[in-house]
Amino acid sequence: IEKVSIYLNLLSSLDTQNQDVQKEIAKLNKLLSEYNEKILFIDEEYKEIGWRRFEYMAGLGILFPFKNYLRTTGINLQYLLTESEEKVAIKLGTAYSNNLYEELTSSFEFNFRGDIISEDEVRTFREDQDREKRLDAFKSLSSVYKNKQNQIVLGNLYSIICKDNVADVELRKYQTVMSQRNMSEELSDNTVNTLLENVSDNYKIYHKFLSKKAQILKLDKLETYDIFAPFPDLEDMEGMSFEAGWELYKNTIEKIDPK
């Protein structure tokens, strides 16, 4: 089923307006929801096993390859709803398409210097050597995403996703809206919060990078459309060779993790 799902999603990415592909995806999603309903009894049996037993099994040497799975499964037991509630959640999850954003944005057309091109194509020009092309690409993207009708639709899609996530968090009693994602990455909320705080506290490093980039590009001011601009060839840059830059990079990374 996973291979079929990947195949259909790849087909859809080529043409999100292909109704035949969308029908097949809908059929597969319905089939998956039916299967998920039928195997809900497994969760009930997991509840009977209990968190302590899963933690014990995770510590057994013979089950070491499954350690993370067992530990994560045990932790997630506290967030499972009753079997009937989980069935309702599954049905609600298949009631609307979670590909609406992709379907909508993939249908957008962008006017770039008189040519109608796709979003992926116009975004590549944000990294062009020609500053005027970067500016035109920025204007092309902005004209579509700042369109009032598109903003209304995208805003409502965002609202639906947020409300759905908040409802799930409240029903399952997660500590924060990030907890579910953090657990799937096997990270604690405290770890992620520490990471976010460190990023926020060090914005000045990125600002310093952008200032240096403006200097290298010989710009008085680095505009939004210049952020992805490529650097000039290393031969044209003064101060540091590629080899010296590579050594600096390796030495910095090794301080974080020698491996």
Side-chain angles (χ1 to χ4, degrees):
I1 290 179
E2 183 180 2
K3 290 181 179 179
V4 175
S5 177
I6 293 172
Y7 175 70
L8 288 175
N9 280 293
L10 287 173
L11 281 181
S12 177
S13 68
L14 295 174
D15 181 9
T16 59
Q17 308 306 306
N18 188 322
Q19 294 305 306
D20 291 333
V21 174
Q22 297 304 321
K23 287 178 182 177
E24 294 303 317
I25 291 177
K27 289 180 183 177
L28 182 63
N29 287 338
K30 185 175 184 298
L31 183 64
L32 285 172
S33 67
E34 291 173 354
Y35 283 165
N36 286 332
E37 283 188 47
K38 289 179 180 179
I39 62 174
L40 280 175
F41 70 91
I42 297 177
D43 287 341
E44 296 303 308
E45 293 181 359
Y46 280 174
K47 290 178 186 177
E48 293 180 10
I49 294 174
W51 170 78
R52 292 186 183 278
R53 187 65 178 172
F54 273 103
E55 192 68 18
Y56 167 75
M57 291 189 290
L60 295 176
I62 194 173
L63 296 176
F64 179 78
F66 310 101
K67 177 180 178 180
N68 290 341
Y69 170 77
L70 291 168
R71 180 158 288 166
T72 301
T73 300
I75 292 173
N76 283 333
L77 290 178
Q78 61 186 306
Y79 303 110
L80 292 176
L81 305 175
T82 65
E83 186 172 359
S84 59
E85 288 171 335
E86 290 289 358
K87 285 183 179 180
V88 173
I90 291 172
K91 290 186 181 298
L92 288 175
T94 56
Y96 66 91
S97 171
N98 58 0
N99 295 320
L100 283 175
Y101 175 83
E102 287 79 9
E103 291 176 28
L104 174 64
T105 55
S106 295
S107 69
F108 288 165
E109 294 181 336
F110 299 83
N111 188 326
F112 180 75
R113 296 191 166 189
D115 293 326
I116 303 301
I117 59 178
S118 69
E119 182 170 353
D120 287 338
E121 290 173 313
V122 76
R123 284 187 181 277
T124 61
F125 287 107
R126 297 186 306 165
E127 302 175 21
D128 199 276
Q129 289 278 8
D130 188 332
R131 196 181 192 206
E132 290 301 317
K133 284 186 178 180
R134 297 199 300 269
L135 175 57
D136 289 343
F138 176 77
K139 289 179 178 178
S140 179
L141 287 165
S142 297
S143 66
V144 173
Y145 278 95
K146 286 186 177 180
N147 175 279
K148 187 174 182 180
Q149 286 78 10
N150 290 338
Q151 286 188 328
I152 291 172
V153 176
L154 291 172
N156 276 282
L157 284 176
Y158 179 75
S159 177
I160 290 171
I161 293 171
C162 287
K163 289 177 180 177
D164 180 63
N165 285 341
V166 169
D168 194 55
V169 167
E170 291 178 349
L171 284 171
R172 298 182 186 278
K173 295 181 171 55
Y174 288 112
Q175 291 184 338
T176 71
V177 292
M178 288 289 291
S179 295
Q180 185 177 21
R181 171 62 66 183
N182 295 343
M183 284 188 292
S184 70
E185 301 291 342
E186 299 177 14
L187 294 169
S188 69
D189 288 347
N190 286 337
T191 300
V192 175
N193 288 336
T194 299
L195 174 62
L196 292 173
E197 288 171 6
N198 274 279
V199 170
S200 298
D201 291 342
N202 289 282
Y203 281 161
K204 59 181 179 293
I205 296 177
Y206 186 57
H207 295 160
K208 185 178 179 181
F209 163 77
L210 293 177
S211 296
K212 188 65 177 177
K213 185 169 188 176
Q215 182 182 341
I216 293 172
L217 295 175
K218 298 178 180 179
L219 299 173
D220 293 331
K221 182 181 179 182
L222 197 75
E223 301 288 352
T224 303
Y225 53 85
D226 293 318
I227 291 176
F228 297 105
F231 285 102
D233 294 336
L234 288 174
E235 290 77 12
D236 299 331
M237 295 175 62
E238 298 180 359
M240 183 174 289
S241 66
F242 172 81
E243 290 75 17
W246 174 243
E247 287 301 318
L248 175 62
Y249 170 78
K250 286 197 300 181
N251 292 337
T252 302
I253 293 300
E254 285 175 355
K255 292 177 182 178
I256 300 172
D257 186 349
K259 294 182 180 180

